[in-house]
Amino acid sequence: MWRLRRAAVACEVCQSLVKHSSGVKGSLPLQKLHLVSRSIYHSHHPTLKLQRPQLRTSFQQFSSLTNLPLRKLKFSPIKYGYQPRRNFWPARLATRLLKLRYLILGSAVGGGYTAKKTFDQWKDMIPDLSEYKWIVPDIVWEIDEYIDFEKIRKALPNSEDLAKLAPDFDKIVESLSLLKDLFTTGHKLVSEVIGASDLLLLLGSSGETAFRATNHGSESDKHFRKVSDKEKIDQLQEELLHTQLKYQRILERLEKENKELRKLVLQKDDKGIHHRKLKKSLIDMYSEVLDVLSDYDASYNTQDHLPRVVVVGDQSAGKTSVLEMIAQARIFPRGSGEMMTRSPVKVTLSEGPHHVALFKDSSREFDLTKEEDLAALRHEIELRMRKNVKEGCTVSPETISLNVKGPGLQRMVLVDLPGVINTVTSGMAPDTKETIFSISKAYMQNPNAIILCIQDGSVDAERSIVTDLVSQMDPHGRRTIFVLTKVDLAEKNVASPSRIQQIIEGKLFPMKALGYFAVVTGKGNSSESIEAIREYEEEFFQNSKLLKTSMLKAHQVTTRNLSLAVSDCFWKMVRESVEQQADSFKATRFNLETEWKNNYPRLRELDRNELFEKAKNEILDEVISLSQVTPKHWEEILQQSLWERVSTHVIENIYLPAAQTMNSGTFNTTVDIKLKQWTDKQLPNKAVEVAWETLQEEFSRFMTEPKGKEHDDIFDKLKEAVKEESIKRHKWNDFAEDSLRVIQHNALEDRSISDKQQWDAAIYFMEEALQARLKDTENAIENMVGPDWKKRWLYWKNRTQEQCVHNETKNELEKMLKCNEEHPAYLASDEITTVRKNLESRGVEVDPGLIKDTWHQVYRRHFLKTALNHCNVCRRGFYYYQRHFVDSELECNDVVLFWRIQRMLAITANTLRQQLTNTEVRRLEKNVKEVLEDFAEDGEKKIKLLTGKRVQLAEDLKKVREIQEKLDAFIEALHQEK
């Protein structure tokens, strides 16, 4: 009973839906209707009346295919009661319509979802080519801003023109059909030719630039070919090759135009039209790392394992020519048969707007498009090579670093090594062969170095030396690229062309390689241009049987394909090894820093250049200290040094000869004459020498004086070298002597002593001078006659036979002087004879020369003692001097002489002091600065003068940090490009 009641209610809901369907916004799906109304037969009796209150219902509707909410549906009130049976078919019709509608909607949405999912799956299957973005330079991604592609498109040939260039494929198909009919067993050959035609169409659409050669049949098919059929196949092959060459020319023309456009764009960037911050290229950053590593002394077991392309080969095998073809310029010196590469040359190739070359240590750019600059570059390379080669050697391991930039150059670093020789010829050092082998091995033993092995194709392969060397360094051929040069001569001279194929495939050598290439480096004329060599190379391979007979593949020929392959291999090796090398330098840096902290905990890490700057400042401060010396100190040391220099001349040549005269007039005349001669010839020069020596002594004292705890003995050698070089370069002013001569002459002419103080000072000066001479004379006499009786008894010393003779002679001469104290300075002949006879009577044999020598010293002592006594007498003679010694027997002209000398010394010292402080100290300071600047530019000098474990450790730390920083910057840039 309750089921019938529920069915009736459901029927009334359906009828209400149909009746008020026009007022409902939206559609009600069939699935939302009451289950009973869809499953039970709607039978109503007219007498059945259900009394229920009115039901108002509303609900939220959702689709099964989407989560978006639909609009709410408003239903009219359900009327309970009798509903005729004929009014139920509209509800059934609505149900069917709603079902069809949702089926279509569900199918559409589901199909779209399925399509999207399938598209996402296909998208995930496509390989990620972003890793190869580095192959294309940055300028390509922005080239649409600078190039009018519409203009280029109009300049390109249209499809009709290209169709004219294409072969007649209908004829080819007919010929292939004929071949298929003629011999049924040759179906494999025909399919390969058809495949070649399809390859040609693909080549025309994709723009490949390499030649492609196809295999034409297997050895088993050759037995079934006839002569006429073979000619037809050769004709088809020839036509296919010509078609490839046509497309090759078109593509080369387009590449040339693209190269010019890239050059224009790069020139605009250089001129600043597009203000874009230009960063260093990857290859430039990498080359800087290699330059720093080349100067790094690899201690602490840290070695340079960064990749570079090492070019090795026999002498005159064409290494230099291959490098020039890759660099697109004749940059290396050339010679006929003689060794030209005498030291390794590192060539860094990079892309730039202009084709230029420059050295690492120079700012001069060589324009490689001008023959004058090319000749100058070759001459400069030759000069640098000869400079690197030491005396007695033929080759040198020192590297010359050269950067070459230009549009279209492949980015890489190549090292051209001296050619390997078999025999040492005349003019070479005996160890030349071993030196070349050691240099080559040093570069090739780097496990990440790419070996570009150059083999001369025009000579017998059995004569090659380099292949054995390369096979020792890289036995598995994992980093070796083999290049056969002079293939044109090889094809002409070799009787069997298959021999060239065996060489290219490495069957004649024990070595293995990553790839094998064949190139042509010109006709042997050194004046050929790179463009002419390239055209000759392409023309040769177009007509060569090596390609036509499939002995060589198209990608194995021409230097262009070689440079592309070497560049790809180089960058692959760089990416694989650079981070490992960076980690090794991090470990080395940690070890060095730890060693520094343990040995020098309180010192800063100053490398050789920083230590030199510190020493430079100290030296300049010490030179400035010369200007702070007081004038009094200068004059005292100058006066004392000058008197020590001239005292002997004054006593021996002026005072003593004048003192032998009999009266004061003759004494003064003799003194004036001798002083005038002395002033004119010797005195100014002696004074300048004394001043210069005094300046040197003071400068040396300031340079070598210890500074207490702050003194650093690491600078001693440098300071000594700077002092010696500065003194060597310094020259006193030439006009100083002339002005000094006048001043000295005027000073010596003055004889007027103004006061008693000056008189006493002159007497004191005279006494000191005479006492010093007397002391020297007594020492000379003691050495002549031997020790006296006190020394003989106290120190157990004895006289020699000669000293005994001198002693007897001295005693005899002293007796003579006691008899005549006013005896002249020279002995007469009869006096000498008397002395000798007196000595012979006592059994002492003497000669006249010995008597004269002894007399000189004895009389000198007697004279000096007399002069000193005369000084004491003249102390009270100033009063008589003022009266010109009138009415007095006292004569003190010798005191006046010493006063004139003393005054001249004081005036000369004052004049020299003024020259020193005003001129010479500044000139010396200037010389010191020049010497320091010269030493700063001379690396060998700094290495020689600043030595020690501390300096070397600081140098290693600096270099390792610099290498690590450059490596980190390069790796970061490499990741950004990747």
Side-chain angles (χ1 to χ4, degrees):
M1 187 66 183
W2 61 273
R3 291 183 179 177
L4 293 177
R5 186 176 297 173
R6 291 189 60 182
V9 174
C11 292
E12 288 181 1
V13 172
C14 296
Q15 291 174 9
S16 176
L17 273 174
V18 177
K19 183 176 181 180
H20 299 280
S21 60
S22 60
V24 177
K25 294 182 181 180
S27 59
L28 185 64
L30 182 62
Q31 288 83 352
K32 292 299 180 179
L33 295 178
H34 202 281
L35 294 176
V36 181
S37 63
R38 292 188 286 117
S39 59
I40 302 177
Y41 179 76
H42 295 265
S43 58
H44 304 282
H45 301 277
T47 58
L48 183 60
K49 292 183 181 180
L50 300 175
Q51 300 295 331
R52 287 253 178 126
Q54 289 186 348
L55 177 64
R56 295 184 178 269
T57 179
S58 62
F59 55 91
Q60 183 80 20
Q61 209 172 23
F62 295 91
S63 170
S64 62
L65 300 178
T66 178
N67 292 328
L68 295 176
L70 301 178
R71 293 183 180 180
K72 295 182 179 181
L73 299 179
K74 297 181 180 179
F75 294 94
S76 59
I78 303 175
K79 296 181 181 180
Y80 299 94
Y82 172 77
Q83 297 293 334
R85 182 178 180 183
R86 55 183 174 85
N87 293 330
F88 186 70
W89 67 270
R92 298 180 61 187
L93 180 59
T95 301
R96 301 297 186 271
L97 291 176
L98 289 174
K99 182 177 180 181
L100 180 61
R101 183 176 181 179
Y102 276 94
L103 285 176
I104 296 174
L105 178 61
S107 301
V109 177
Y113 175 77
T114 305
K116 182 178 181 301
K117 186 176 181 181
T118 305
F119 173 74
D120 292 338
Q121 292 177 354
W122 289 353
K123 184 178 179 181
D124 295 337
M125 293 171 61
I126 297 175
D128 185 9
L129 300 180
S130 60
E131 296 181 358
Y132 303 94
K133 187 179 178 180
W134 60 270
I135 299 176
V136 182
D138 295 339
I139 190 66
V140 174
W141 306 112
E142 302 174 1
I143 200 169
D144 57 343
E145 298 178 8
Y146 315 120
I147 300 177
D148 189 357
F149 286 101
E150 185 64 24
K151 186 177 179 180
I152 297 176
R153 187 184 64 79
K154 292 180 180 179
L156 294 175
N158 53 25
S159 58
E160 296 179 359
D161 295 335
L162 292 175
K164 293 179 182 179
L165 296 174
D168 191 352
F169 292 105
D170 295 336
K171 293 182 179 180
I172 295 176
V173 173
E174 291 178 2
S175 301
L176 294 176
S177 301
L178 180 61
L179 290 174
K180 187 175 180 179
D181 295 337
L182 288 175
F183 38 90
T184 57
T185 58
H187 64 278
K188 182 176 181 180
L189 175 64
V190 176
S191 62
E192 290 182 354
V193 176
I194 294 175
S197 301
D198 295 336
L199 179 61
L200 174 61
L201 294 176
L202 181 60
L203 178 63
S205 61
S206 61
E208 292 183 2
T209 58
F211 296 111
R212 299 293 182 185
T214 57
N215 292 324
H216 298 280
S218 59
E219 295 182 358
S220 60
D221 297 328
K222 291 182 181 179
H223 300 288
F224 302 98
R225 295 178 182 174
K226 296 181 181 180
V227 178
S228 58
D229 298 334
K230 188 174 182 181
E231 290 177 353
K232 291 180 181 180
I233 295 174
D234 292 341
Q235 183 178 0
L236 291 174
Q237 205 171 27
E238 190 74 22
E239 186 177 357
L240 179 64
L241 187 58
H242 282 297
T243 305
Q244 287 179 334
L245 295 179
K246 289 180 182 179
Y247 284 108
Q248 179 75 16
R249 294 191 190 99
I250 295 174
L251 292 173
E252 287 178 355
R253 179 170 59 84
L254 293 177
E255 287 178 356
K256 187 175 182 180
E257 293 177 357
N258 186 27
K259 180 179 177 181
E260 294 296 329
L261 291 173
R262 288 174 58 82
K263 183 177 179 181
L264 292 174
V265 172
L266 292 173
Q267 286 176 347
K268 289 181 180 180
D269 283 340
D270 279 353
K271 293 178 181 178
I273 296 177
H274 302 283
H275 299 283
R276 182 167 56 91
K277 185 178 180 181
L278 297 177
K279 298 180 180 179
K280 283 186 179 180
S281 64
L282 275 177
I283 192 64
D284 290 335
M285 296 172 67
Y286 185 76
S287 180
E288 288 180 358
V289 175
L290 296 182
D291 289 336
V292 177
L293 279 173
S294 64
D295 300 332
Y296 175 63
D297 185 12
S299 55
Y300 301 95
N301 298 324
T302 302
Q303 298 179 356
D304 175 14
H305 287 167
L306 287 176
R308 71 260 288 160
V309 181
V310 180
V311 185
V312 295
D314 299 328
Q315 185 179 355
S316 301
K319 298 187 291 76
T320 302
S321 300
V322 172
L323 276 177
E324 288 180 337
M325 290 293 291
I326 295 175
Q328 301 180 12
R330 307 299 291 267
I331 58 178
F332 292 105
R334 311 183 70 81
S336 56
E338 61 177 326
M339 179 181 291
M340 298 305 298
T341 306
R342 297 180 178 271
S343 65
V345 181
K346 181 176 76 69
V347 182
T348 303
L349 301 180
S350 59
E351 194 171 17
H354 305 286
H355 202 186
V356 295
L358 66 159
F359 292 96
K360 178 189 71 172
D361 55 354
S362 175
S363 58
R364 179 187 176 184
E365 285 191 352
F366 297 87
D367 189 351
L368 301 183
T369 60
K370 297 179 180 179
E371 188 58 37
E372 298 84 4
D373 283 18
L374 280 171
L377 176 62
R378 290 192 289 266
H379 181 65
E380 180 67 20
I381 293 176
E382 186 174 2
L383 287 179
R384 288 174 179 256
M385 286 183 180
R386 296 188 182 278
K387 182 180 178 181
N388 289 344
V389 176
K390 297 180 181 178
E391 186 177 357
C393 300
T394 308
V395 293
S396 170
E398 297 184 18
T399 305
I400 299 174
S401 183
L402 180 67
N403 292 341
V404 178
K405 299 182 179 181
L409 293 182
Q410 298 298 321
R411 304 178 301 168
M412 57 182 139
V413 178
L414 305 102
V415 182
D416 185 21
L417 300 180
V420 179
I421 61 175
N422 190 19
T423 305
V424 177
T425 59
S426 60
M428 293 184 180
D431 60 343
T432 302
K433 180 179 178 181
E434 290 75 14
T435 305
I436 294 175
F437 268 82
S438 63
I439 294 174
S440 302
K441 288 181 178 179
Y443 277 91
M444 287 191 293
Q445 69 184 2
N446 179 359
N448 298 318
I450 300 169
I451 304 173
L452 196 63
C453 180
I454 309 298
Q455 170 65 33
D456 188 353
S458 62
V459 299
D460 296 335
E462 291 77 9
R463 294 167 55 187
S464 175
I465 310 172
V466 70
T467 51
D468 295 335
L469 181 62
V470 172
S471 62
Q472 294 175 10
M473 296 293 103
D474 184 24
H476 302 290
R478 294 171 181 170
R479 50 189 180 90
T480 302
I481 297 177
F482 180 82
V483 182
L484 185 68
T485 61
K486 306 177 185 179
V487 184
D488 52 342
L489 300 178
E491 186 180 29
K492 186 184 301 183
N493 299 333
V494 176
S496 175
S498 61
R499 184 174 177 82
I500 299 178
Q501 185 180 12
Q502 293 177 349
I503 296 175
I504 290 295
E505 294 177 355
K507 296 180 179 178
L508 292 182
F509 300 106
M511 58 171 286
K512 299 178 182 179
L514 282 172
Y516 299 88
F517 289 86
V519 298
V520 174
T521 55
K523 300 178 182 179
N525 186 5
S526 60
S527 61
E528 285 183 291
S529 64
I530 295 296
E531 192 65 29
I533 296 175
R534 184 182 291 109
E535 291 177 357
Y536 172 71
E537 182 183 41
E538 293 176 355
E539 181 181 358
F540 167 76
F541 282 116
Q542 289 173 8
N543 302 321
S544 174
K545 295 181 181 178
L546 298 175
L547 275 181
K548 292 181 180 179
T549 56
S550 301
M551 292 184 183
L552 295 177
K553 305 300 181 183
H555 65 275
Q556 291 181 298
V557 298
T558 71
T559 51
R560 182 178 181 276
N561 291 334
L562 171 64
S563 62
L564 289 171
V566 173
S567 178
D568 291 342
C569 187
F570 169 77
W571 283 106
K572 180 182 178 183
M573 192 73 77
V574 167
R575 285 181 172 82
E576 292 176 352
S577 60
V578 67
E579 293 188 0
Q580 180 181 1
Q581 189 75 8
D583 293 338
S584 65
F585 275 101
K586 287 180 183 178
T588 303
R589 175 178 176 176
F590 176 78
N591 295 336
L592 292 174
E593 289 176 346
T594 304
E595 184 177 0
W596 181 274
K597 291 177 182 178
N598 293 333
N599 294 325
Y600 312 103
R602 298 184 180 181
L603 295 177
R604 289 190 302 131
E605 300 169 4
L606 299 179
D607 59 15
R608 187 171 279 111
N609 292 331
E610 293 170 337
L611 286 172
F612 182 83
E613 289 299 322
K614 183 179 178 181
K616 177 180 177 181
N617 295 331
E618 287 188 9
I619 293 172
L620 293 177
D621 292 340
E622 291 162 358
V623 174
I624 293 175
S625 299
L626 285 174
S627 61
Q628 299 176 356
V629 178
T630 61
K632 182 179 179 181
H633 178 74
W634 277 122
E635 292 181 10
E636 288 178 354
I637 58 177
L638 284 170
Q639 187 171 349
Q640 182 180 358
S641 301
L642 183 59
W643 172 243
E644 290 175 357
R645 183 67 61 88
V646 302
S647 60
T648 302
H649 181 83
V650 170
I651 300 297
E652 302 294 337
N653 298 330
I654 298 177
Y655 174 64
L656 290 178
Q660 306 303 319
T661 58
M662 301 303 295
N663 54 58
S664 60
T666 307
F667 178 87
N668 291 332
T669 302
T670 304
V671 167
D672 291 342
I673 293 173
K674 290 186 177 294
L675 287 176
K676 181 67 168 60
Q677 294 175 351
W678 183 44
T679 306
D680 291 340
K681 295 180 180 179
Q682 300 179 9
L683 183 57
N685 186 26
K686 293 288 185 182
V688 170
E689 289 180 0
V690 168
W692 176 220
E693 290 175 0
T694 303
L695 179 61
Q696 294 181 35
E697 291 175 359
E698 289 297 306
F699 180 51
S700 301
R701 180 172 67 85
F702 281 110
M703 292 281 287
T704 58
E705 188 177 22
K707 306 298 187 297
K709 295 182 179 180
E710 298 180 358
H711 178 70
D712 196 345
D713 57 356
I714 203 171
F715 300 142
D716 291 346
K717 292 175 66 177
L718 176 62
K719 289 181 178 181
E720 185 66 24
V722 171
K723 183 194 74 173
E724 293 178 358
E725 185 65 24
S726 302
I727 291 174
K728 185 188 298 184
R729 295 186 184 184
H730 186 82
K731 292 183 179 180
W732 204 274
N733 191 356
D734 296 334
F735 300 102
E737 291 187 12
D738 297 334
S739 61
L740 195 60
R741 182 178 293 108
V742 176
I743 294 172
Q744 291 171 341
H745 181 73
N746 294 333
L748 291 172
E749 286 290 329
D750 188 8
R751 302 180 184 179
S752 59
I753 304 175
S754 59
D755 54 15
K756 183 70 167 57
Q757 185 179 0
Q758 293 181 359
W759 181 268
D760 293 338
I763 292 177
Y764 179 75
F765 175 64
M766 180 179 175
E767 286 180 343
E768 282 189 342
L770 296 178
Q771 286 175 357
R773 292 295 163 182
L774 179 60
K775 185 177 181 180
D776 294 339
T777 303
E778 288 179 346
N779 290 332
I781 293 174
E782 184 179 356
N783 292 331
M784 182 184 295
V785 301
D788 56 4
W789 65 272
K790 292 182 179 179
K791 291 184 178 179
R792 290 199 302 269
W793 281 97
L794 294 176
Y795 301 107
W796 295 84
K797 291 182 178 180
N798 295 320
R799 291 173 177 168
T800 62
Q801 184 65 31
E802 185 180 0
Q803 288 175 343
C804 291
V805 173
H806 277 288
N807 185 52
E808 294 293 334
T809 306
K810 176 182 76 72
N811 295 332
E812 189 68 25
L813 293 173
E814 285 178 347
K815 293 177 182 178
M816 184 185 297
L817 278 175
K818 287 181 180 180
C819 297
N820 184 13
E821 292 184 353
E822 295 182 356
H823 194 284
Y826 301 100
L827 286 174
S829 300
D830 55 345
E831 292 176 333
I832 295 175
T833 302
T834 301
V835 171
R836 187 178 63 179
K837 288 183 178 180
N838 292 336
L839 292 174
E840 287 178 353
S841 64
R842 294 199 300 267
V844 179
E845 295 289 337
V846 294
D847 57 15
L850 186 145
I851 296 173
K852 290 181 180 180
D853 293 340
T854 308
W855 168 255
H856 176 73
Q857 299 297 334
V858 171
Y859 180 81
R860 184 185 181 88
R861 182 176 65 177
H862 169 74
F863 175 81
L864 292 173
K865 287 181 178 181
T866 304
L868 286 171
N869 293 330
H870 184 68
C871 286
N872 291 327
V873 174
C874 289
R875 287 184 185 277
R876 58 183 184 274
F878 179 69
Y879 171 74
Y880 297 102
Y881 165 76
Q882 288 179 329
R883 297 179 60 184
H884 303 287
F885 298 104
V886 177
D887 299 332
S888 175
E889 296 180 357
L890 182 63
E891 294 181 356
C892 297
N893 293 315
D894 49 356
V895 177
V896 178
L897 169 63
F898 276 92
W899 180 83
R900 292 166 68 183
I901 298 295
Q902 186 183 29
R903 187 169 182 272
M904 182 272 299
L905 292 175
I907 293 175
T908 302
N910 181 270
T911 304
L912 292 174
R913 188 266 304 169
Q914 293 180 11
Q915 292 182 0
L916 281 171
T917 56
N918 296 335
T919 306
E920 301 304 327
V921 170
R922 295 180 182 178
R923 293 180 62 211
L924 179 62
E925 182 180 354
K926 182 180 178 182
N927 289 339
V928 171
K929 289 181 179 179
E930 292 177 354
V931 170
L932 289 172
E933 290 175 358
D934 294 342
F935 283 7
E937 296 176 357
D938 192 347
E940 294 181 358
K941 276 278 186 185
K942 290 191 285 187
I943 294 174
K944 181 180 179 181
L945 299 176
L946 293 174
T947 57
K949 180 182 178 182
R950 169 183 155 195
V951 181
Q952 190 60 43
L953 186 58
E955 280 288 301
D956 291 340
L957 259 173
K958 175 192 172 184
K959 290 179 181 179
V960 168
R961 284 171 179 162
E962 184 180 3
I963 293 169
Q964 183 184 350
E965 290 172 0
K966 290 184 178 296
L967 274 175
D968 292 342
F970 173 74
I971 293 171
E972 182 180 357
L974 192 65
H975 289 166
Q976 289 177 358
E977 184 179 276
K978 185 176 179 181

